[in-house]
mmCIF file of all heavy atoms in Angstrom:
data_model
loop_
_atom_site.group_PDB
_atom_site.id
_atom_site.type_symbol
_atom_site.label_atom_id
_atom_site.label_comp_id
_atom_site.label_asym_id
_atom_site.label_seq_id
_atom_site.Cartn_x
_atom_site.Cartn_y
_atom_site.Cartn_z
ATOM 1 N N LEU A 1 0.868 -1.217 -0.018
ATOM 2 C CA LEU A 1 0.026 0.007 0.003
ATOM 3 C C LEU A 1 0.881 1.262 -0.010
ATOM 4 O O LEU A 1 0.586 2.260 -0.684
ATOM 5 C CB LEU A 1 -0.943 -0.028 1.246
ATOM 6 C CG LEU A 1 -1.905 1.121 1.378
ATOM 7 C CD1 LEU A 1 -2.860 1.186 0.097
ATOM 8 C CD2 LEU A 1 -2.723 1.047 2.608
ATOM 9 N N ASN A 2 1.968 1.198 0.789
ATOM 10 C CA ASN A 2 2.827 2.377 0.816
ATOM 11 C C ASN A 2 3.490 2.566 -0.557
ATOM 12 O O ASN A 2 3.673 3.700 -1.031
ATOM 13 C CB ASN A 2 3.899 2.232 1.909
ATOM 14 C CG ASN A 2 3.323 2.234 3.308
ATOM 15 O OD1 ASN A 2 2.305 2.858 3.531
ATOM 16 N ND2 ASN A 2 4.005 1.588 4.252
ATOM 17 N N GLN A 3 3.931 1.433 -1.186
ATOM 18 C CA GLN A 3 4.467 1.527 -2.491
ATOM 19 C C GLN A 3 3.547 2.088 -3.493
ATOM 20 O O GLN A 3 3.781 2.967 -4.334
ATOM 21 C CB GLN A 3 5.051 0.106 -2.954
ATOM 22 C CG GLN A 3 5.667 0.160 -4.310
ATOM 23 C CD GLN A 3 6.969 0.895 -4.257
ATOM 24 O OE1 GLN A 3 7.610 0.992 -3.272
ATOM 25 N NE2 GLN A 3 7.317 1.482 -5.421
ATOM 26 N N LYS A 4 2.229 1.650 -3.327
ATOM 27 C CA LYS A 4 1.247 2.146 -4.232
ATOM 28 C C LYS A 4 0.950 3.668 -3.969
ATOM 29 O O LYS A 4 0.677 4.400 -4.898
ATOM 30 C CB LYS A 4 -0.079 1.393 -4.114
ATOM 31 C CG LYS A 4 0.052 -0.094 -4.679
ATOM 32 C CD LYS A 4 -1.298 -0.845 -4.538
ATOM 33 C CE LYS A 4 -1.137 -2.251 -5.131
ATOM 34 N NZ LYS A 4 -2.353 -3.029 -5.013
ATOM 35 N N LYS A 5 1.065 4.009 -2.711
ATOM 36 C CA LYS A 5 0.872 5.477 -2.392
ATOM 37 C C LYS A 5 2.008 6.303 -3.004
ATOM 38 O O LYS A 5 1.744 7.339 -3.526
ATOM 39 C CB LYS A 5 0.849 5.641 -0.866
ATOM 40 C CG LYS A 5 -0.406 5.245 -0.182
ATOM 41 C CD LYS A 5 -0.360 5.494 1.320
ATOM 42 C CE LYS A 5 -1.633 5.139 2.027
ATOM 43 N NZ LYS A 5 -1.615 5.420 3.478
ATOM 44 N N LEU A 6 3.269 5.720 -2.947
ATOM 45 C CA LEU A 6 4.341 6.465 -3.612
ATOM 46 C C LEU A 6 4.103 6.555 -5.087
ATOM 47 O O LEU A 6 4.301 7.607 -5.737
ATOM 48 C CB LEU A 6 5.678 5.757 -3.344
ATOM 49 C CG LEU A 6 6.136 5.771 -1.849
ATOM 50 C CD1 LEU A 6 7.381 4.937 -1.745
ATOM 51 C CD2 LEU A 6 6.406 7.171 -1.443
ATOM 52 N N GLU A 7 3.631 5.420 -5.701
ATOM 53 C CA GLU A 7 3.428 5.455 -7.135
ATOM 54 C C GLU A 7 2.255 6.434 -7.416
ATOM 55 O O GLU A 7 2.277 7.087 -8.466
ATOM 56 C CB GLU A 7 3.038 4.059 -7.556
ATOM 57 C CG GLU A 7 4.216 3.090 -7.498
ATOM 58 C CD GLU A 7 3.768 1.693 -7.868
ATOM 59 O OE1 GLU A 7 2.576 1.438 -8.105
ATOM 60 O OE2 GLU A 7 4.658 0.699 -7.950
ATOM 61 N N ALA A 8 1.207 6.419 -6.553
ATOM 62 C CA ALA A 8 0.124 7.340 -6.745
ATOM 63 C C ALA A 8 0.607 8.809 -6.665
ATOM 64 O O ALA A 8 0.122 9.593 -7.442
ATOM 65 C CB ALA A 8 -1.011 7.076 -5.729
ATOM 66 N N ASN A 9 1.449 9.039 -5.632
ATOM 67 C CA ASN A 9 1.956 10.440 -5.464
ATOM 68 C C ASN A 9 2.833 10.798 -6.751
ATOM 69 O O ASN A 9 2.709 11.960 -7.237
ATOM 70 C CB ASN A 9 2.853 10.548 -4.268
ATOM 71 C CG ASN A 9 2.069 10.419 -2.969
ATOM 72 O OD1 ASN A 9 0.838 10.659 -3.013
ATOM 73 N ND2 ASN A 9 2.670 9.921 -1.903
ATOM 74 N N GLN A 10 3.657 9.874 -7.227
ATOM 75 C CA GLN A 10 4.423 10.137 -8.427
ATOM 76 C C GLN A 10 3.461 10.320 -9.643
ATOM 77 O O GLN A 10 3.678 11.260 -10.423
ATOM 78 C CB GLN A 10 5.375 8.983 -8.687
ATOM 79 C CG GLN A 10 6.245 9.165 -9.893
ATOM 80 C CD GLN A 10 7.188 10.345 -9.742
ATOM 81 O OE1 GLN A 10 7.663 10.560 -8.628
ATOM 82 N NE2 GLN A 10 7.449 11.099 -10.829
ATOM 83 N N LEU A 11 2.431 9.531 -9.667
ATOM 84 C CA LEU A 11 1.485 9.723 -10.774
ATOM 85 C C LEU A 11 0.732 11.042 -10.700
ATOM 86 O O LEU A 11 0.577 11.728 -11.718
ATOM 87 C CB LEU A 11 0.481 8.581 -10.739
ATOM 88 C CG LEU A 11 -0.561 8.599 -11.823
ATOM 89 C CD1 LEU A 11 0.032 8.391 -13.171
ATOM 90 C CD2 LEU A 11 -1.566 7.332 -11.618
ATOM 91 N N GLU A 12 0.394 11.449 -9.436
ATOM 92 C CA GLU A 12 -0.235 12.681 -9.252
ATOM 93 C C GLU A 12 0.710 13.875 -9.673
ATOM 94 O O GLU A 12 0.273 14.824 -10.285
ATOM 95 C CB GLU A 12 -0.633 12.843 -7.777
ATOM 96 C CG GLU A 12 -1.420 14.168 -7.489
ATOM 97 C CD GLU A 12 -1.785 14.266 -6.031
ATOM 98 O OE1 GLU A 12 -1.445 13.370 -5.239
ATOM 99 O OE2 GLU A 12 -2.486 15.236 -5.657
ATOM 100 N N PHE A 13 1.940 13.661 -9.305
ATOM 101 C CA PHE A 13 2.959 14.735 -9.727
ATOM 102 C C PHE A 13 3.067 14.793 -11.204
ATOM 103 O O PHE A 13 3.113 15.841 -11.762
ATOM 104 C CB PHE A 13 4.335 14.396 -9.076
ATOM 105 C CG PHE A 13 5.416 15.337 -9.475
ATOM 106 C CD1 PHE A 13 5.501 16.660 -8.888
ATOM 107 C CD2 PHE A 13 6.302 15.005 -10.463
ATOM 108 C CE1 PHE A 13 6.516 17.481 -9.297
ATOM 109 C CE2 PHE A 13 7.339 15.838 -10.818
ATOM 110 C CZ PHE A 13 7.431 17.105 -10.245
ATOM 111 N N ASP A 14 3.162 13.554 -11.828
ATOM 112 C CA ASP A 14 3.204 13.520 -13.301
ATOM 113 C C ASP A 14 1.960 14.163 -13.905
ATOM 114 O O ASP A 14 2.088 14.858 -14.967
ATOM 115 C CB ASP A 14 3.420 12.120 -13.735
ATOM 116 C CG ASP A 14 4.721 11.526 -13.319
ATOM 117 O OD1 ASP A 14 5.645 12.334 -13.009
ATOM 118 O OD2 ASP A 14 4.810 10.241 -13.270
ATOM 119 N N LEU A 15 0.795 13.783 -13.313
ATOM 120 C CA LEU A 15 -0.431 14.411 -13.868
ATOM 121 C C LEU A 15 -0.475 15.959 -13.711
ATOM 122 O O LEU A 15 -0.907 16.590 -14.580
ATOM 123 C CB LEU A 15 -1.618 13.808 -13.089
ATOM 124 C CG LEU A 15 -1.977 12.310 -13.428
ATOM 125 C CD1 LEU A 15 -3.118 11.869 -12.539
ATOM 126 C CD2 LEU A 15 -2.288 12.160 -14.862
ATOM 127 N N ARG A 16 0.069 16.409 -12.558
ATOM 128 C CA ARG A 16 0.173 17.889 -12.398
ATOM 129 C C ARG A 16 1.101 18.508 -13.430
ATOM 130 O O ARG A 16 0.758 19.551 -14.007
ATOM 131 C CB ARG A 16 0.609 18.187 -11.017
ATOM 132 C CG ARG A 16 -0.400 18.000 -9.897
ATOM 133 C CD ARG A 16 0.111 18.298 -8.584
ATOM 134 N NE ARG A 16 -0.819 18.056 -7.543
ATOM 135 C CZ ARG A 16 -0.614 18.263 -6.202
ATOM 136 N NH1 ARG A 16 0.544 18.746 -5.861
ATOM 137 N NH2 ARG A 16 -1.581 18.082 -5.309
ATOM 138 N N GLU A 17 2.210 17.810 -13.640
ATOM 139 C CA GLU A 17 3.194 18.298 -14.633
ATOM 140 C C GLU A 17 2.541 18.274 -16.073
ATOM 141 O O GLU A 17 2.669 19.251 -16.862
ATOM 142 C CB GLU A 17 4.455 17.432 -14.604
ATOM 143 C CG GLU A 17 5.471 17.948 -15.506
ATOM 144 C CD GLU A 17 6.843 17.123 -15.424
ATOM 145 O OE1 GLU A 17 6.800 16.179 -14.589
ATOM 146 O OE2 GLU A 17 7.789 17.446 -16.096
ATOM 147 N N ILE A 18 1.807 17.169 -16.349
ATOM 148 C CA ILE A 18 1.190 17.108 -17.643
ATOM 149 C C ILE A 18 0.107 18.137 -17.813
ATOM 150 O O ILE A 18 -0.080 18.774 -18.839
ATOM 151 C CB ILE A 18 0.535 15.660 -17.825
ATOM 152 C CG1 ILE A 18 1.645 14.583 -18.021
ATOM 153 C CG2 ILE A 18 -0.409 15.635 -19.021
ATOM 154 C CD1 ILE A 18 1.175 13.156 -17.979
ATOM 155 N N THR A 19 -0.602 18.399 -16.640
ATOM 156 C CA THR A 19 -1.668 19.453 -16.691
ATOM 157 C C THR A 19 -1.039 20.835 -16.962
ATOM 158 O O THR A 19 -1.533 21.565 -17.736
ATOM 159 C CB THR A 19 -2.349 19.478 -15.310
ATOM 160 O OG1 THR A 19 -2.997 18.206 -15.105
ATOM 161 C CG2 THR A 19 -3.452 20.544 -15.371
ATOM 162 N N LEU A 20 0.152 21.062 -16.258
ATOM 163 C CA LEU A 20 0.824 22.376 -16.504
ATOM 164 C C LEU A 20 1.341 22.441 -18.001
ATOM 165 O O LEU A 20 1.180 23.444 -18.613
ATOM 166 C CB LEU A 20 2.031 22.486 -15.551
ATOM 167 C CG LEU A 20 1.683 22.714 -14.081
ATOM 168 C CD1 LEU A 20 2.936 22.688 -13.243
ATOM 169 C CD2 LEU A 20 0.861 23.995 -13.909
ATOM 170 N N GLN A 21 1.835 21.284 -18.423
ATOM 171 C CA GLN A 21 2.301 21.289 -19.888
ATOM 172 C C GLN A 21 1.054 21.527 -20.817
ATOM 173 O O GLN A 21 1.205 22.229 -21.817
ATOM 174 C CB GLN A 21 2.944 19.926 -20.190
ATOM 175 C CG GLN A 21 4.300 19.750 -19.484
ATOM 176 C CD GLN A 21 4.970 18.418 -19.793
ATOM 177 O OE1 GLN A 21 4.269 17.566 -20.442
ATOM 178 N NE2 GLN A 21 6.125 18.210 -19.367
ATOM 179 N N GLN A 22 -0.036 20.918 -20.438
ATOM 180 C CA GLN A 22 -1.197 21.106 -21.276
ATOM 181 C C GLN A 22 -1.688 22.551 -21.269
ATOM 182 O O GLN A 22 -2.092 23.128 -22.300
ATOM 183 C CB GLN A 22 -2.393 20.209 -20.822
ATOM 184 C CG GLN A 22 -2.123 18.749 -21.194
ATOM 185 C CD GLN A 22 -3.186 17.836 -20.631
ATOM 186 O OE1 GLN A 22 -4.037 18.231 -19.781
ATOM 187 N NE2 GLN A 22 -3.272 16.576 -21.058
ATOM 188 N N ARG A 23 -1.605 23.141 -20.075
ATOM 189 C CA ARG A 23 -1.957 24.577 -19.978
ATOM 190 C C ARG A 23 -0.964 25.421 -20.784
ATOM 191 O O ARG A 23 -1.414 26.371 -21.504
ATOM 192 C CB ARG A 23 -1.922 25.040 -18.461
ATOM 193 C CG ARG A 23 -3.068 24.429 -17.700
ATOM 194 C CD ARG A 23 -3.028 24.892 -16.228
ATOM 195 N NE ARG A 23 -4.072 24.360 -15.442
ATOM 196 C CZ ARG A 23 -4.232 24.564 -14.131
ATOM 197 N NH1 ARG A 23 -3.290 25.321 -13.519
ATOM 198 N NH2 ARG A 23 -5.198 24.040 -13.473
ATOM 199 N N PHE A 24 0.304 25.101 -20.633
ATOM 200 C CA PHE A 24 1.314 25.864 -21.369
ATOM 201 C C PHE A 24 1.014 25.713 -22.935
ATOM 202 O O PHE A 24 1.140 26.646 -23.677
ATOM 203 C CB PHE A 24 2.659 25.362 -21.063
ATOM 204 C CG PHE A 24 3.803 26.035 -21.797
ATOM 205 C CD1 PHE A 24 4.229 27.331 -21.505
ATOM 206 C CD2 PHE A 24 4.458 25.352 -22.841
ATOM 207 C CE1 PHE A 24 5.220 27.969 -22.218
ATOM 208 C CE2 PHE A 24 5.495 25.968 -23.544
ATOM 209 C CZ PHE A 24 5.849 27.261 -23.282
ATOM 210 N N MET A 25 0.819 24.427 -23.319
ATOM 211 C CA MET A 25 0.526 24.158 -24.691
ATOM 212 C C MET A 25 -0.763 24.861 -25.184
ATOM 213 O O MET A 25 -0.762 25.366 -26.312
ATOM 214 C CB MET A 25 0.412 22.642 -24.967
ATOM 215 C CG MET A 25 1.679 21.844 -24.775
ATOM 216 S SD MET A 25 1.471 20.073 -25.002
ATOM 217 C CE MET A 25 0.952 20.045 -26.724
ATOM 218 N N LYS A 26 -1.704 25.014 -24.229
ATOM 219 C CA LYS A 26 -2.973 25.605 -24.593
ATOM 220 C C LYS A 26 -2.655 27.115 -24.848
ATOM 221 O O LYS A 26 -3.193 27.732 -25.837
ATOM 222 C CB LYS A 26 -3.965 25.438 -23.461
ATOM 223 C CG LYS A 26 -5.277 26.129 -23.725
ATOM 224 C CD LYS A 26 -6.281 25.847 -22.607
ATOM 225 C CE LYS A 26 -7.594 26.413 -22.929
ATOM 226 N NZ LYS A 26 -8.596 26.223 -21.750
ATOM 227 N N LEU A 27 -1.828 27.674 -23.903
ATOM 228 C CA LEU A 27 -1.445 29.087 -24.106
ATOM 229 C C LEU A 27 -0.702 29.299 -25.396
ATOM 230 O O LEU A 27 -0.897 30.265 -26.146
ATOM 231 C CB LEU A 27 -0.626 29.574 -22.917
ATOM 232 C CG LEU A 27 -1.282 29.644 -21.568
ATOM 233 C CD1 LEU A 27 -0.385 30.009 -20.446
ATOM 234 C CD2 LEU A 27 -2.484 30.678 -21.625
ATOM 235 N N GLU A 28 0.288 28.320 -25.633
ATOM 236 C CA GLU A 28 1.002 28.384 -26.892
ATOM 237 C C GLU A 28 0.107 28.272 -28.155
ATOM 238 O O GLU A 28 0.264 29.000 -29.065
ATOM 239 C CB GLU A 28 2.039 27.269 -26.957
ATOM 240 C CG GLU A 28 3.265 27.470 -25.983
ATOM 241 C CD GLU A 28 4.105 28.645 -26.498
ATOM 242 O OE1 GLU A 28 4.312 28.782 -27.657
ATOM 243 O OE2 GLU A 28 4.709 29.343 -25.602
ATOM 244 N N ASN A 29 -0.793 27.361 -27.990
ATOM 245 C CA ASN A 29 -1.823 27.219 -29.139
ATOM 246 C C ASN A 29 -2.654 28.482 -29.342
ATOM 247 O O ASN A 29 -2.936 28.876 -30.470
ATOM 248 C CB ASN A 29 -2.758 26.063 -28.861
ATOM 249 C CG ASN A 29 -1.998 24.668 -28.972
ATOM 250 O OD1 ASN A 29 -1.015 24.600 -29.658
ATOM 251 N ND2 ASN A 29 -2.489 23.683 -28.288
ATOM 252 N N GLU A 30 -3.039 29.038 -28.169
ATOM 253 C CA GLU A 30 -3.772 30.379 -28.268
ATOM 254 C C GLU A 30 -3.008 31.420 -28.912
ATOM 255 O O GLU A 30 -3.425 32.207 -29.713
ATOM 256 C CB GLU A 30 -4.268 30.727 -26.871
ATOM 257 C CG GLU A 30 -5.344 29.823 -26.271
ATOM 258 C CD GLU A 30 -5.719 30.230 -24.833
ATOM 259 O OE1 GLU A 30 -5.136 31.181 -24.338
ATOM 260 O OE2 GLU A 30 -6.665 29.644 -24.340
ATOM 261 N N LYS A 31 -1.628 31.436 -28.477
ATOM 262 C CA LYS A 31 -0.728 32.430 -29.021
ATOM 263 C C LYS A 31 -0.626 32.163 -30.595
ATOM 264 O O LYS A 31 -0.639 33.103 -31.459
ATOM 265 C CB LYS A 31 0.582 32.323 -28.381
ATOM 266 C CG LYS A 31 1.612 33.353 -28.856
ATOM 267 C CD LYS A 31 2.907 33.262 -28.149
ATOM 268 C CE LYS A 31 3.992 34.289 -28.701
ATOM 269 N NZ LYS A 31 5.253 34.162 -27.955
#
């Protein structure tokens, strides 16, 4: 469970990073 929590945290971090990238790409696309 702890390992899965770490993986979940890493996945959450990756998702946040992907979200930021998507936002950046959205801004770039808008530009």
Side-chain angles (χ1 to χ4, degrees):
L1 182 61
N2 293 334
Q3 183 64 30
K4 289 182 179 179
K5 284 184 178 179
L6 293 176
E7 293 176 357
N9 292 335
Q10 182 63 36
L11 181 60
E12 183 179 1
F13 177 78
D14 294 341
L15 288 175
R16 289 180 179 178
E17 185 177 359
I18 292 172
T19 303
L20 292 176
Q21 291 178 353
Q22 288 178 344
R23 290 181 180 177
F24 178 76
M25 291 177 63
K26 184 177 180 181
L27 294 175
E28 288 290 326
N29 290 334
E30 292 177 354
K31 182 179 178 182

